[in-house]
Amino acid sequence: MRLATWNVNSLNVRLPQVLDWLAANPVDALCIQELKLAHDKFPLDAFKEVGYHAEWAGQKTYNGVAIVSREPAHSVVRNIPGMEDLQQRVIAVTLPSTAGDVRVICAYCPNGQSLDSDKYVYKLGWFAELKRWLEQELAQHPLLAILGDYNVAPADEDVHNPEKWEGQVLVSPPEREAYFDLLKLGLTDSFRMFEQPEKSFSWWDYRQFGFRRNAGLRIDHVLLSEALKSVCTACVIDKGPRGNTQPSDHTPVIATLSI
């Protein structure tokens, strides 16, 4: 089973790129963030034509998440249960595998804007709610993967220039602590299970030739439960789509599981 995540930064704009990528990389499930389209505008037929099912939570202009999968999904949950939030940031589904049902969660974590912003307070509160819910999900679903744009670079090795980023969102100690609190539930950052090239990033700013200079951050992650960690054989960042014409500022991350 291959699971992938990609913040496409507008599915309307990037749909042809997503379909081309799926044709070249026929993953079992792709978690998509930042749809930036109303729920009733999701291009379901386009995915059906290439052999994929889809579950999604759309939001006009902002946010929005989806999971497209080879097999039909069931037990769909939209948003974090018990949290009142108008922003569409989470969708969870259950998919079949040779090892049993796999719970797949797609998350678009808040950016936070700046350390003195109300959006930063919202971000930390949102992570606390995510942790609360994930603890329940893990108790019910031993085979669990949560993929997405976490908007957190966990360590300085995930930042092209740590000194330049000091005092900014995505790298602040409280954000990193919130991220590692998720790992303490029994989740593992699959990318760091394997030897990786230095300066491996999944996001590059559009400005100042960020991608050309490899001035990026690793903020897109595939976290796995203990049971899935034991069958994970690879996790890679596919930088190819970031070189497309009119690309997303993010690029896919793919984990391979031997189930």
Side-chain angles (χ1 to χ4, degrees):
M1 175 178 266
R2 297 177 72 214
L3 304 176
T5 181
W6 190 2
N7 179 326
V8 299
N9 193 9
S10 176
L11 188 57
N12 275 334
V13 175
R14 247 65 73 174
L15 179 59
Q17 296 184 34
V18 173
L19 296 176
D20 287 347
W21 188 83
L22 285 172
N25 302 271
V27 295
D28 295 279
L30 172 62
C31 295
I32 305 173
Q33 303 87 45
E34 282 205 88
L35 303 181
K36 293 185 176 179
L37 48 75
H39 190 80
D40 61 353
K41 299 298 183 182
F42 186 86
L44 178 59
D45 289 344
F47 287 105
K48 283 185 175 179
E49 288 176 5
V50 295
Y52 279 87
H53 304 267
E55 298 291 343
W56 69 95
Q59 182 178 343
K60 185 178 179 181
T61 309
Y62 302 104
N63 308 315
V65 287
I67 299 175
V68 299
S69 58
R70 286 290 188 190
E71 298 294 331
H74 63 87
S75 305
V76 181
V77 171
R78 294 174 175 84
N79 294 325
I80 298 174
M83 178 185 182
E84 292 187 11
D85 192 358
L86 298 177
Q87 300 185 29
Q88 301 297 321
R89 294 185 172 276
V90 169
I91 187 164
V93 304
T94 298
L95 297 173
S97 81
T98 57
D101 283 349
V102 177
R103 191 64 164 167
V104 178
I105 302 173
C106 174
Y108 174 45
C109 307
N111 176 278
Q113 191 176 61
S114 65
L115 302 189
D116 58 357
S117 169
D118 289 344
K119 293 180 179 180
Y120 183 76
V121 177
Y122 164 71
K123 179 177 187 173
L124 295 180
W126 190 93
F127 263 98
E129 289 294 313
L130 178 66
K131 177 188 175 185
R132 173 190 59 77
W133 175 57
L134 278 180
E135 188 169 16
Q136 299 170 10
E137 286 288 289
L138 283 163
Q140 298 176 44
H141 306 284
L143 302 176
L144 182 145
I146 172 166
L147 307 86
D149 174 3
Y150 285 73
N151 269 312
V152 176
D156 284 353
E157 65 182 324
D158 302 310
V159 182
H160 70 95
N161 186 336
E163 292 182 1
K164 180 179 178 181
W165 276 84
E166 188 172 353
Q168 298 188 51
V169 291
L170 313 187
V171 302
S172 71
E175 291 168 281
R176 287 177 166 175
E177 182 178 358
Y179 172 85
F180 282 107
D181 279 347
L182 301 182
L183 301 190
K184 291 176 183 177
L185 295 174
L187 296 169
T188 296
D189 178 354
S190 58
F191 188 76
R192 289 299 176 207
M193 289 174 58
F194 308 97
E195 185 175 349
Q196 303 288 359
E198 291 186 7
K199 302 292 185 180
S200 291
F201 308 126
S202 63
W203 171 88
W204 300 262
D205 200 318
Y206 288 126
R207 299 167 294 181
Q208 299 178 336
F209 304 103
F211 182 61
R212 186 182 301 178
R213 298 187 296 112
N214 197 29
L217 301 176
R218 189 178 72 92
I219 58 176
D220 302 271
H221 310 299
V222 180
L223 305 188
L224 302 176
S225 65
E226 285 294 325
L228 289 186
K229 173 187 175 182
S230 66
V231 294
C232 183
T233 59
C235 184
V236 297
I237 295 172
D238 179 4
K239 294 173 63 174
R242 187 58 176 84
N244 290 344
T245 301
Q246 203 175 4
S248 169
D249 45 356
H250 296 252
T251 208
V253 182
I254 311 103
T256 302
L257 311 173
S258 60
I259 56 175

